[in-house]
Amino acid sequence: MSSSAAKSLYAGYRFPAEVISHAVWLYFRFPLSPRMVEEMLAVRGIVVSHESVRQWALKFGQEFANRIRQRLPQAKNKWHLDEVAIKIAGVQHWLWRAVDQTGMVLDVLLQSRRDKRAAKRLLRKLLKRQCRAPRVMITDKLPNYGAAKREVMSGVEHRRHKGLNNRAENSHQPTRRRERQMKRFNSPRQAQRFLSAHDQIANLFHLRRDHVTAREHRAARARAFEAWANISGIAAAA
């Protein structure tokens, strides 16, 4: 990102890019409320209101997530799909999520139904975003996946087994933590907007610890921080 682009991104804000970027990173990276982020900044001598943190998250979260999506490597060819129930304002909704075999979140889609039509919407969104079909699709035994796959990507191998789909089921855990911290989502639109940004930012810092040395892990983490600096415009503004 050029220096002029970074300046235009933060134009009109009285806080420097470093503060805004750090606040947005804290909010999406960890299960923190805006008030908690406010306090974490205050301990560093930065006085900012929790409402400012919330507005920054709304303004910059999706923008940064879109830039991360453009930078991440292409998804692997094995996709795990799963859906989980979420209550919003007392009404049950279904959060559909797809991850690849490395645990990278491909996309999320909040819907009011858990039927064939909802499964087709997810598959079509994935194909449009990824620009290719997977080699293998792994799901639980919900029959709607098979019916949707036959119409959208019939040539893809489909494996149905609950035990095989632990990777997708585990990917819901950060959402559950955030849901508790936020005392449930206020609306479907808010949930979709938040999770779309949250999962992509989590992807950037999805650093595996198994089968790597401490030095390799620290090097990967440093690269993720460097990428975040470029994505959020800190590097260009410095």
Side-chain angles (χ1 to χ4, degrees):
M1 184 190 298
S2 67
S3 180
S4 59
K7 288 179 180 178
S8 64
L9 182 65
Y10 298 100
Y13 289 87
R14 67 185 182 91
F15 285 92
E18 291 82 0
V19 171
I20 297 175
S21 169
H22 189 62
V24 173
W25 177 74
L26 285 172
Y27 180 70
F28 284 106
R29 182 70 183 95
F30 304 104
L32 301 172
S33 69
R35 292 183 186 275
M36 290 177 177
V37 175
E38 173 189 357
E39 192 166 336
M40 293 179 74
L41 294 175
V43 78
R44 297 189 175 194
I46 303 170
V47 180
V48 58
S49 70
H50 67 275
E51 180 59 23
S52 292
V53 173
R54 190 182 72 83
Q55 290 295 335
W56 294 344
L58 288 174
K59 166 72 176 179
F60 298 104
Q62 192 58 56
E63 174 69 23
F64 294 164
N66 292 340
R67 295 178 182 181
I68 290 171
R69 191 187 291 274
Q70 293 170 1
R71 295 173 63 105
L72 290 176
Q74 190 177 48
K76 303 299 183 182
N77 61 5
K78 187 183 294 183
W79 296 359
H80 298 250
L81 281 63
D82 193 51
E83 76 293 336
V84 65
I86 289 184
K87 274 203 171 181
I88 302 175
V91 178
Q92 181 168 281
H93 291 74
W94 294 93
L95 179 66
W96 300 70
R97 177 180 273 113
V99 303
D100 69 9
Q101 64 260 47
T102 68
M104 199 74 70
V105 178
L106 307 180
D107 224 322
V108 291
L109 184 60
L110 187 67
Q111 304 189 78
S112 60
R113 297 181 180 275
R114 192 192 182 208
D115 55 13
K116 172 185 167 183
R117 182 180 177 185
K120 284 175 63 176
R121 283 191 64 198
L122 176 66
L123 293 182
R124 285 172 174 161
K125 185 179 183 185
L126 286 167
L127 288 176
K128 182 178 180 181
R129 185 84 73 176
Q130 301 298 324
C131 300
R132 68 184 180 97
R135 179 180 60 84
V136 179
M137 184 178 91
I138 300 175
T139 70
D140 57 22
K141 294 189 176 182
L142 182 70
N144 296 318
Y145 284 116
K149 185 203 78 75
R150 284 192 292 272
E151 294 188 16
V152 179
M153 44 189 193
S154 58
V156 172
E157 179 185 349
H158 185 195
R159 300 176 188 171
R160 285 174 286 193
H161 190 283
K162 191 168 182 64
L164 292 174
N165 211 34
N166 287 338
R167 190 173 297 281
E169 292 171 0
N170 291 341
S171 72
H172 293 306
Q173 293 177 5
T175 297
R176 290 302 195 196
R177 288 194 291 269
R178 290 310 303 248
E179 187 183 19
R180 288 193 296 269
Q181 181 59 54
M182 298 169 78
K183 297 180 180 177
R184 297 191 182 274
F185 297 109
N186 296 326
S187 69
R189 181 182 177 187
Q190 180 229 8
Q192 179 70 53
R193 182 175 57 213
F194 172 82
L195 293 171
S196 294
H198 172 273
D199 285 0
Q200 289 306 311
I201 292 172
N203 278 344
L204 181 62
F205 293 92
H206 181 69
L207 308 176
R208 302 189 66 175
R209 290 180 178 269
D210 53 327
H211 308 301
V212 298
T213 65
R215 177 177 292 181
E216 290 171 334
H217 174 75
R218 288 193 291 269
R221 185 175 59 189
R223 289 193 295 271
F225 281 128
E226 183 180 356
W228 176 258
N230 283 293
I231 287 162
S232 61
I234 298 176

